Amino acid sequence: SQVATFFPNGASLHAWKIVSVDFDLLELPLPSKVVTTSLRMDGGSIGDVDVTCANGVVKTFEDELEPEMYYDTFATILLPDTFLFSMRNRVMNKTRPEEDQSFLPHVAKRDTIIKWLNKEGRGNRTDDDGKMDPVPVRSCFGGLAIYRASKFLDTRCSYESNDPKNMKYASKFENRPCEHVVFHNCL
């Protein structure tokens, strides 16, 4: 592949990372944080994972008392198979039996996902150092994702799919699933 020519001869693509970013975000993590996280993906405190995503949040500036809201519900699927995208905006707008309804927007409060991710990420920690462990999910993005290069460059997976099994994650506005969901379902 042409992209692979940028990697040094003999380098293992398993150790290299590719960062995908939404540049229209108001704020991005510091580059040092991205580097630290990518290093933790190699059997470190995160473990040997193929992708790590940001926990992006939305904050309205009109109402400072309004709680933060999780940013990227269209790309996020919690384990085992809870699609966080609004029911009224889905092509298939019925709750599936495998979905945990307490996380779905028509049931959950605005800050339910953020609070749950923070609680899961903190685990049993009692200190308040702000460090979080990753929370395993089926798909995510949140404005920034760090991919293991060997997975990102694998030609068996792509951001496009006509696979009907992915339509349960489709938006009625675009009549397609989120590209991150398609790609992550292939990894």
Side-chain angles (χ1 to χ4, degrees):
S1 125
Q2 290 182 356
V3 177
T5 61
F6 292 105
F7 295 96
N9 288 336
S12 167
L13 289 182
H14 188 75
W16 287 80
K17 309 299 182 299
I18 294 175
V19 179
S20 176
V21 179
D22 274 350
F23 284 107
D24 61 348
L25 297 175
L26 185 61
E27 186 177 344
L28 291 169
L30 294 172
S32 61
K33 188 94 163 159
V34 174
V35 170
T36 300
T37 301
S38 73
L39 293 173
R40 291 175 62 206
M41 289 172 67
D42 292 320
S45 57
I46 290 180
D48 197 21
V49 298
D50 296 326
V51 61
T52 300
C53 304
N55 183 7
V57 297
V58 174
K59 178 74 175 156
T60 59
F61 293 103
E62 295 84 33
D63 185 357
E64 287 298 316
L65 299 177
E66 187 79 25
E68 292 178 333
M69 181 175 80
Y70 184 70
Y71 164 69
D72 204 356
T73 60
F74 190 38
T76 305
I77 303 171
L78 302 179
L79 292 173
D81 198 21
T82 300
F83 183 37
L84 295 182
F85 197 56
S86 170
M87 194 67 64
R88 68 179 179 272
N89 296 330
R90 297 181 188 188
V91 167
M92 299 174 184
N93 60 0
K94 291 188 176 159
T95 306
R96 294 176 285 111
E98 61 272 19
E99 291 188 287
D100 182 339
Q101 291 191 38
S102 66
F103 290 110
L104 299 180
H106 69 283
V107 174
K109 292 182 181 176
R110 178 182 171 94
D111 59 351
T112 297
I113 301 302
I114 293 294
K115 285 181 175 178
W116 181 81
L117 288 169
N118 288 338
K119 179 180 165 281
E120 291 295 307
R122 289 198 62 69
N124 295 326
R125 286 195 182 105
T126 54
D127 58 348
D128 194 21
D129 61 6
K131 291 183 181 175
M132 299 282 184
D133 289 328
V135 177
V137 295
R138 186 170 181 168
S139 179
C140 56
F141 186 63
L144 184 142
I146 305 167
Y147 290 92
R148 186 173 304 288
S150 59
K151 295 295 183 174
F152 192 86
L153 299 174
D154 186 334
T155 56
R156 292 174 289 186
C157 297
S158 78
Y159 273 101
E160 297 177 6
S161 170
N162 294 325
D163 189 341
K165 74 178 182 195
N166 286 324
M167 286 306 288
K168 64 184 176 182
Y169 309 118
S171 160
K172 71 178 183 182
F173 303 111
E174 300 178 36
N175 202 34
R176 67 165 181 85
C178 175
E179 64 276 12
H180 300 290
V181 170
V182 169
F183 189 66
H184 296 156
N185 276 341
C186 179
L187 293 179

